Amino acid sequence: MNLFRLAGDLSHLAAIVILLLKIWKTRSCAGISGKSQALFAAVFCTRYLDLFFSFVSLYNTGMKIIYICCSVGTCYLIFMKFKSTYDSNHDTFRVEFLLGPCLILALILNHSFTFSEILWTFSIYLEAGAILPQLFMMSKTGEAETITSHYLFMLGAYRGLYILNWIFRFYTESFFDPIAVVAGVVQTVLYIDFFYLYITKVLKGKSLVLPC
């Protein structure tokens, strides 16, 4: 494992912890898209089926279990424990328009036509767009809490660091996975506008206000 991947994993973990702490401390999931969190839970549950039939390392297994448990736990907090604070009126992104194309792409563009491989590929495509409901929700409300902005920044940083990880592996190991790389680049591009607002607003102590 190289430094870029480790930093990416830690950024991803930090994003999840920030979100969980935000919900738990405020006893509210206001401003959080339950649909995005449900999609992320689907991403991890379909991607890490190899937990049942392969072992890479203790680190690898541990991180996979943490991602699954945290994503499912986040959904529990949003849809059950703090359901009364969930803003479903603004969380209106049509996820079926994301799930359908991702499944079709996974059936057509994959490394091998096996059940586990198709689900892995589906998770890669789905993760690329899983943040869309959250961004759509923010565009409708016109603003985002500072802590939510930190969560999104760390999530975007994770993808950016993974791109550096792929570049590093390409030059040092001649490794290149077009499916993961293209999906990762698409996902990172989705954060560009947010990154600009985060740097010019949040880091200067201003509120992150978006055009509705």
Side-chain angles (χ1 to χ4, degrees), residues 84 124 166 172 179 182:
S84 61
I124 296 296
W166 291 323
T172 60
I179 291 176
V182 171

Side-chain angles (χ1 to χ4, degrees), residues 35-152:
K35 290 185 176 181
S36 269
Q37 297 310 311
L39 291 176
F40 280 124
V43 165
F44 298 135
C45 289
T46 54
R47 180 176 302 172
Y48 298 142
L49 290 176
D50 61 345
L51 282 170
F52 295 105
F53 52 81
S54 69
F55 177 81
V56 177
S57 67
L58 185 61
Y59 172 84
N60 183 275
T61 298
M63 292 299 281
K64 289 177 179 179
I65 293 174
I66 289 172
Y67 289 150
I68 292 174
C69 291
C70 287
S71 62
V72 172
T74 301
C75 288
Y76 166 75
L77 294 179
I78 294 174
F79 295 112
M80 296 186 71
K81 189 170 183 64
F82 302 124
K83 183 179 179 180
S84 61
T85 66
Y86 171 48
D87 187 7
S88 58
N89 291 327
H90 286 113
D91 195 14
T92 56
F93 186 86
R94 300 286 296 276
V95 295
E96 60 269 27
F97 293 143
L98 185 61
L99 290 168
C102 287
L103 179 58
I104 293 172
L105 277 175
L107 291 170
I108 298 173
L109 301 175
N110 52 67
H111 294 305
S112 63
F113 200 78
T114 62
F115 180 72
S116 60
E117 188 64 30
I118 289 173
L119 286 182
W120 179 87
T121 308
F122 169 76
S123 77
I124 296 296
Y125 294 143
L126 184 59
E127 186 182 15
I131 199 61
L132 284 174
Q134 180 67 59
L135 297 177
F136 184 72
M137 184 178 187
M138 288 169 56
S139 71
K140 290 191 69 176
T141 60
E143 59 183 357
E145 295 180 17
T146 300
I147 192 68
T148 304
S149 300
H150 294 331
Y151 158 71
L152 287 171

